[in-house]
């Protein structure tokens, strides 16, 4: 092995890959926990969905989509589409929170994180679409 350092482009790519992996690893347990809380009928989740004027069907739907999205992130081939779906879900959450007058800092933080993950995992999405 030579004592040469990797070219700058390779170092940036490696750093970006590691950052993407960290975001990926943080989002999986978050979405599993958040979705599970909604499905289990956490008092806080019931109050929140009542506060925004949504029925419990939306709580169940959101919880199911969050859990399925988290599980999809665990499957390499599905990680891109799962992140893309969670990006759509978080976009809806941000809009719903703003319209209902219950702005959520957490939703505003999660949206760009999951969107970056969807972009970083776009190859798996394109592969499933047969475009790669």
């Amino acid at each position: 092995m030579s004592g040469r350092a990797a070219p700058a482009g390779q170092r940036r790519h490696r750093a970006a890959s590691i950052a993407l992996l960290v975001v990926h690893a943080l989002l999986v347990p978050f979405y599993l926990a958040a979705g599970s809380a909604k499905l289990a009928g956490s008092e806080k989740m019931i109050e929140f969905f009542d506060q925004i004027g949504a029925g419990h069907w939306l709580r169940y739907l959101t919880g199911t989509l969050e859990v399925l999205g988290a599980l999809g992130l665990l499957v390499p081939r599905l990680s891109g589409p799962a992140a893309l779906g969670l990006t759509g879900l978080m976009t809806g959450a941000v809009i719903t929170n703003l319209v209902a007058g219950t702005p959520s800092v957490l939703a505003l933080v999660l949206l760009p994180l999951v969107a970056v993950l969807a972009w970083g995992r776009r190859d798996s999405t394109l592969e499933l679409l047969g475009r790669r």
Side-chain angles (χ1 to χ4, degrees):
M1 187 164 136
S2 72
R4 292 186 188 181
Q10 276 185 331
R11 286 193 305 266
R12 277 193 301 272
H13 179 73
R14 182 168 163 76
S17 293
I18 291 170
L20 202 57
L21 187 59
V22 169
V23 169
H24 196 144
L26 292 173
L27 290 177
V28 170
F30 171 79
Y31 281 109
L32 280 175
S36 297
K38 289 174 182 76
L39 292 173
S42 157
E43 191 66 35
K44 187 175 180 180
M45 290 295 112
I46 290 172
E47 288 174 12
F48 175 75
F49 279 84
D50 285 344
Q51 182 182 3
I52 64 171
H56 293 285
W57 68 270
L58 185 59
R59 177 174 54 87
Y60 288 120
L61 176 63
T62 304
T64 300
L65 292 174
E66 287 175 341
V67 169
L68 290 175
L71 295 175
L73 291 176
L74 293 173
V75 179
R77 185 178 174 131
L78 299 178
S79 64
L84 189 58
L86 289 169
T87 300
L89 186 67
M90 291 313 301
T91 301
V94 168
I95 292 169
T96 300
N97 286 323
L98 291 173
V99 169
T102 58
S104 168
V105 173
L106 183 59
L108 289 170
V109 169
L110 288 172
L111 176 57
L113 287 177
V114 76
V116 164
L117 184 61
W119 177 256
R121 302 287 188 243
R122 69 190 177 279
D123 289 346
S124 68
T125 303
L126 292 172
E127 188 176 309
L128 279 177
L129 294 173
R131 301 208 174 154
R132 190 165 168 208

